[in-house]
Amino acid sequence: FPQKESGAPATCMGPASTQDLNSSYGDGMAGECSRKPDQKLPELRGMGDLTMFSSDSSYLSSRGRMIKWFWDSAEEGYRTYHMDEYDEDKNPSGIINLGTSENKLCFDLLSERLSQQDMQWVEPSLLQYPDWRGHLFLREEVAKFLSFYCKSPAPLKPENVVVLNGCASLFSALATVLCEAGEAFLIPTPYYGAITQHVYLYGHVRLAYVYLDSEVTGTDTRPFQLTVEKLEMALQEANSKGVKVKGLILINPQNPLGDIYSPGELQEYLVFAKRHELHVIVDEVYMLSVFEDSVGYRSVLSLEGLPDPQRTHVMWATSKDFGMSGLRFGTLYTENQDVATAVASLCRYHGLSGLVQHQMAQLLRDRDWINQVYLPGNHARLKAACAYVSEELRALRIPFLSRGAGFFIWADLRKYLRKATFEEEMLLWRRFLHNKVLLSFGKAFECKEPGWFRFVFSDKAQRLRLGMQRVRQVLEGDAQMAEDPPPWQTQEPSDQCR
């Protein structure tokens, strides 16, 4: 987006890019700072000074204009999709969405369970104001649920649980209570880009990018690998620019990479954070969507003796693992009671109805249904869908990352770019959209290498087949270009990039 010269509100924002479909808003926003209109924040990777808004409404405050700007700059693909959404009967030529990370494979299992009689219950307490942390009966079930599935060494405590309407609200609340306006969180890239707006809109908190790349430098390394050395470098750069970093955000399993941090890696990151007195927010929203038996996923709550438990905050939700992104249930687990209380105070704006809290408690306590019906069925369907898209990509000789977790494959389409630029990446993305298939492109996740795309596979077989057919049509149209790969496309796929 072009920058305006002056006269803008006293806010500082980084380069806005087109956003991942889950949020549909601009990416890379920085924070508001206390400054005069002609002052600029120090330049920082991922956080420049974007002093413009497309909204100039005289009815809104500067904050309101900024918030409206997010909406006005929503991704064209998201809007186009909703105007021409595929329907097998009503709109068979509509757009297939392989860009939004939602699990659409298990509606039959969920609708049957949610329709059972124990879910239909009303009593006076459910219609009255609750404890803003959530009803005690729900927090008790969440603590038991996380203790079991996170394999915590000791039972987790209900007093450390806060429930609210999704992880987006939770990111926003944590950013607001942990940081001053203009301070920052470290975050490895590529990352789920909607976090940018989650931490900025209320808290005016920035993101300092820890850029990762696909290069494999040895037998013990993997593409886009996060290391403590890279964290240290990003922190030093932020400090050198006068930006105060208050925390680190980790997503495990990672979105969009599908990567999984080992217990040793988690411990190293937590020790790094303790050394610098940083909070660590660990988003484990895909923890039950690890569908390959050979993958050794470990929750951070399973670690013996967290290095800094007062600064370690874990979030989880039903939106991904239970395919309920529209129901809006999320939870925070933190041993820091000051943080829990501050977040709970914001839950008066982000709370759940008593009826939904009852339903969630019933669902989470039904261990037999979860273990014997839902998880086996969900994992089998995810595995089959992932295998299908993987085979389609292999047939096209496209390298990709897939670790057996999450709903997506991170695919390397760099050989289809005429030049190694994000402009070329956008042109390829638009060719997909023109052919009625919607993907998420790398810039939406602040990937520093143009040409990576996220393919979401957690959809019904018929839509997947049609979507991949349309992808193939676009890429086969560029086949001649692929036969003569550009000079930057020389690295062979590793074992993790296949």
Side-chain angles (χ1 to χ4, degrees):
F1 296 91
Q3 295 191 12
K4 291 185 178 179
E5 291 295 329
S6 61
T11 56
C12 307
M13 300 188 298
S17 71
T18 312
Q19 184 51 274
D20 172 24
L21 290 173
N22 291 341
S23 67
S24 77
Y25 293 110
D27 214 351
M29 308 304 296
E32 185 179 60
C33 58
S34 300
R35 63 181 179 88
K36 297 178 182 179
D38 58 346
Q39 289 179 313
K40 289 186 177 183
L41 278 179
E43 290 290 331
L44 187 65
R45 287 190 302 178
M47 298 181 293
D49 178 45
L50 184 73
T51 54
M52 59 66 104
F53 301 101
S54 62
S55 172
D56 57 358
S57 173
S58 61
Y59 298 102
L60 300 175
S61 66
S62 61
R63 287 191 301 269
R65 291 196 299 273
M66 181 272 298
I67 292 169
K68 183 175 181 291
W69 177 85
F70 271 100
W71 180 264
D72 290 341
S73 59
E75 185 187 320
E76 62 181 275
Y78 184 83
R79 294 184 176 185
T80 304
Y81 165 68
H82 280 291
M83 291 188 293
D84 188 19
E85 187 173 347
Y86 171 84
D87 184 275
E88 184 176 359
D89 299 316
K90 298 178 182 178
N91 190 21
S93 63
I95 296 172
I96 300 285
N97 184 358
L98 302 183
T100 303
S101 184
E102 289 184 295
N103 188 344
K104 301 175 183 177
L105 294 171
C106 294
F107 178 77
D108 57 331
L109 303 179
L110 293 167
S111 61
E112 181 181 2
R113 181 64 189 91
L114 294 174
S115 300
Q116 292 180 12
Q117 188 172 357
D118 66 324
M119 292 289 179
Q120 317 306 319
W121 179 254
V122 179
E123 61 182 42
S125 64
L126 299 181
L127 303 180
Q128 297 163 2
Y129 290 123
D131 179 341
W132 291 118
R133 292 178 183 236
H135 280 292
L136 178 58
F137 66 79
L138 176 56
R139 289 187 287 117
E140 288 175 341
E141 291 303 328
V142 169
K144 294 174 185 176
F145 177 89
L146 294 178
S147 296
F148 182 81
Y149 290 103
C150 295
K151 298 180 172 61
S152 60
L156 302 178
K157 301 176 181 178
E159 57 265 32
N160 297 336
V161 173
V162 182
V163 297
L164 68 175
N165 62 343
C167 285
S169 298
L170 188 44
F171 269 118
S172 179
L174 283 171
T176 300
V177 305
L178 296 180
C179 301
E180 302 294 344
E183 293 180 340
F185 286 112
L186 292 175
I187 190 165
T189 75
Y191 72 99
Y192 168 52
I195 295 172
T196 303
Q197 75 180 64
H198 298 342
V199 302
Y200 183 78
L201 286 186
Y202 285 171
H204 300 266
V205 174
R206 312 168 75 180
L207 294 177
Y209 298 156
V210 186
Y211 282 115
L212 310 179
D213 58 59
S214 64
E215 183 180 1
V216 176
T217 57
T219 57
D220 59 343
T221 63
R222 63 185 185 272
F224 299 103
Q225 185 170 359
L226 177 63
T227 64
V228 171
E229 180 183 9
K230 293 173 183 177
L231 289 169
E232 291 282 6
M233 290 175 59
L235 179 61
Q236 290 173 13
E237 181 175 352
N239 291 338
S240 71
K241 301 298 184 181
V243 175
K244 185 174 180 60
V245 174
K246 291 295 288 290
L248 166 66
I249 295 174
L250 298 173
I251 307 171
N252 189 35
Q254 214 270 358
N255 178 9
L257 301 176
D259 203 9
I260 290 175
Y261 300 130
S262 70
E265 288 173 326
L266 284 173
Q267 195 73 23
E268 289 177 1
Y269 307 150
L270 294 173
V271 169
F272 157 81
K274 181 180 181 181
R275 183 162 62 248
H276 296 286
E277 297 185 346
L278 302 178
H279 291 271
V280 182
I281 299 174
V282 187
D283 178 358
E284 298 190 342
V285 74
Y286 291 98
M287 75 170 184
L288 296 182
S289 297
V290 180
F291 53 86
E292 287 289 354
D293 296 336
S294 60
V295 176
Y297 172 77
R298 288 276 301 277
S299 166
V300 72
L301 293 174
S302 73
L303 301 181
E304 290 275 2
L306 292 173
D308 192 353
Q310 290 295 304
R311 290 191 178 91
T312 304
H313 319 292
V314 184
M315 61 172 68
W316 179 78
T318 55
S319 57
K320 309 300 183 182
D321 286 340
F322 284 93
M324 297 180 178
S325 53
L327 191 136
R328 312 309 302 145
F329 167 82
T331 186
L332 167 69
Y333 190 86
T334 178
E335 295 186 21
N336 189 315
Q337 289 303 302
D338 290 339
V339 172
T341 300
V343 170
S345 181
L346 292 175
C347 286
R348 69 183 62 233
Y349 313 114
H350 302 292
L352 298 169
S353 74
L355 300 179
V356 169
Q357 293 194 46
H358 168 78
Q359 290 179 320
M360 287 297 95
Q362 292 300 108
L363 183 73
L364 297 182
R365 71 162 54 104
D366 193 351
R367 203 74 53 79
D368 289 342
W369 178 81
I370 294 172
N371 292 338
Q372 298 172 22
V373 178
Y374 182 75
L375 288 182
N378 185 38
H379 289 172
R381 296 176 190 188
L382 287 172
K383 189 172 184 176
C386 180
Y388 171 74
V389 175
S390 298
E391 285 304 313
E392 289 292 306
L393 294 174
R394 288 191 187 98
L396 290 165
R397 300 182 64 81
I398 293 174
F400 61 88
L401 298 177
S402 180
R403 294 288 303 277
F407 306 155
F408 30 76
I409 290 172
W410 188 237
D412 181 1
L413 304 186
R414 288 180 289 176
K415 67 183 181 181
Y416 295 100
L417 304 186
R418 295 176 177 85
K419 297 179 182 179
T421 66
F422 288 111
E423 290 77 12
E424 282 293 319
E425 179 182 88
M426 282 297 297
L427 289 175
L428 177 57
W429 174 81
R430 287 195 175 98
R431 289 201 293 276
F432 288 129
L433 187 62
H434 180 74
N435 205 45
K436 301 298 185 76
V437 62
L438 184 57
L439 300 173
S440 293
F441 52 87
K443 184 59 179 174
F445 306 94
E446 288 300 336
C447 182
K448 75 173 188 177
E449 301 173 2
W452 289 85
F453 283 73
R454 190 185 71 176
F455 285 69
V456 173
F457 54 76
S458 50
D459 206 341
K460 295 293 187 181
Q462 192 239 349
R463 286 195 291 267
L464 274 186
R465 283 195 297 269
L466 184 55
M468 292 307 296
Q469 286 173 12
R470 295 175 180 180
V471 167
R472 179 183 285 272
Q473 289 168 358
V474 171
L475 297 183
E476 286 181 343
D478 295 336
Q480 184 59 48
M481 189 194 322
E483 290 176 6
D484 301 309
W488 65 85
Q489 181 63 26
T490 58
Q491 182 181 331
E492 289 297 319
S494 71
D495 289 341
Q496 294 88 9
C497 187
R498 59 187 191 278

